[in-house]
Amino acid sequence: ILNVEQSPQSLHVQEGDSTNFTCSFPSSNFYALHWYRWETAKSPEALFVMTLNGDEKKKGRISATLNTKEGYSYLYIKGSQPEDSATYLCASSYNNNDMRFGAGTRLTVKP
Amino acid sequence: NAGVTQTPKFQVLKTGQSMTLQCAQDMNHEYMSWYRQDPGMGLRLIHYSVGAGITDQGEVPNGYNVSRSTTEDFPLRLLSAAPSQTSVYFCASSSLPPSSYNEQFFGPGTRLTVL
């Protein structure tokens, strides 16, 4: 069974705070780790795809790291803004075309 | 470029009824997949296709059928709907399978209720 776990389940921060959340995944036959941003009433949108141990990706104030040996990824948001409020999904893909999603971290940024 | 489109957006069925959820993409992507999203759970893969004429089962395939006669379309069929199939269904496509280093594009979702 491939379980992808995300923590925390939800998070409330003040505008300007920096925050981070965790995705843990089974590392056997791992191929890539995907982060998505999912706003209410919209479709998930891809943020990052990482595959190598030690990979780091950055897009504006959002960055992510990957540790394939221990099976975890962190997503960081620097200086959170109300428009960052969304559910952040991670998914791990495996060599057999399998892709497993976590339940997401729901972020609310208060003005 | 419409991306990934899904119809209908909402649907209510009675137990035992059948229906087809439509999914189409105009990006010439080989890989397409169907997910369901239930409260408190991650997206779960139902079926996927790596190209026209090729489909395979995902994590939760029971109660669903798919076919891929063209690159553009990937319909999901419920032959005899059950209340356990009440969910939000997302179709996704990508140029390569998710086991590759590339991103998936998701449709807007279909909210299905089975009474």
Side-chain angles (χ1 to χ4, degrees):
Chain A
I1 297 176
L2 300 172
N3 285 329
V4 177
E5 305 286 343
Q6 289 188 249
S7 62
Q9 195 171 24
S10 66
L11 193 55
H12 294 253
V13 301
Q14 288 294 135
E15 182 175 356
D17 288 349
S18 293
T19 186
N20 65 85
F21 11 101
T22 306
C23 172
S24 61
F25 55 90
S27 53
S28 177
N29 294 321
F30 168 83
Y31 195 90
L33 192 286
H34 309 247
W35 279 101
Y36 290 85
R37 182 171 180 274
W38 192 1
E39 290 183 70
T40 303
K42 294 186 177 181
S43 311
E45 292 183 351
L47 283 173
F48 305 115
V49 181
M50 298 176 287
T51 189
L52 298 176
N53 186 47
D55 264 354
E56 292 186 27
K57 290 288 181 82
K58 186 175 181 181
K59 187 181 290 187
R61 293 178 291 99
I62 305 177
S63 60
T65 61
L66 178 65
N67 182 321
T68 61
K69 293 183 180 179
E70 296 180 46
Y72 65 84
S73 174
Y74 293 133
L75 187 80
Y76 301 91
I77 302 179
K78 185 177 178 182
S80 303
Q81 299 296 309
E83 58 264 32
D84 295 329
S85 296
T87 295
Y88 291 84
L89 297 175
C90 78
S92 55
S93 57
Y94 298 88
N95 294 337
N96 60 352
N97 288 323
D98 200 357
M99 188 163 183
R100 300 297 174 108
F101 281 80
T105 292
R106 181 183 289 274
L107 175 67
T108 303
V109 182
K110 301 174 186 176
Chain B
N1 224 352
V4 181
T5 58
Q6 290 182 238
T7 55
K9 288 188 178 180
F10 302 95
Q11 182 71 49
V12 179
L13 292 177
K14 294 181 180 178
T15 296
Q17 285 185 313
S18 62
M19 82 158 294
T20 300
L21 308 185
Q22 301 291 343
C23 174
Q25 52 90 11
D26 60 0
M27 297 174 280
N28 202 32
H29 285 167
E30 289 295 326
Y31 187 94
M32 296 185 74
S33 54
W34 276 102
Y35 295 89
R36 60 178 288 173
Q37 199 269 324
D38 300 297
M41 303 183 75
L43 293 167
R44 291 184 292 168
L45 183 64
I46 304 171
H47 285 283
Y48 65 93
S49 169
V50 299
I54 306 170
T55 64
D56 207 344
Q57 296 181 348
E59 183 185 357
V60 288
N62 292 341
Y64 307 95
N65 282 347
V66 292
S67 60
R68 184 95 179 270
S69 56
T70 67
T71 299
E72 294 78 19
D73 301 299
F74 190 44
L76 178 73
R77 296 185 190 86
L78 285 72
L79 296 178
S80 179
S84 60
Q85 293 178 305
T86 294
S87 188
V88 181
Y89 292 85
F90 286 93
C91 178
S93 76
S94 56
S95 54
L96 295 169
S99 58
S100 302
Y101 190 72
N102 78 120
E103 64 179 85
Q104 286 195 97
F105 295 85
F106 283 84
T110 294
R111 185 176 292 275
L112 175 68
T113 302
V114 183
L115 303 175

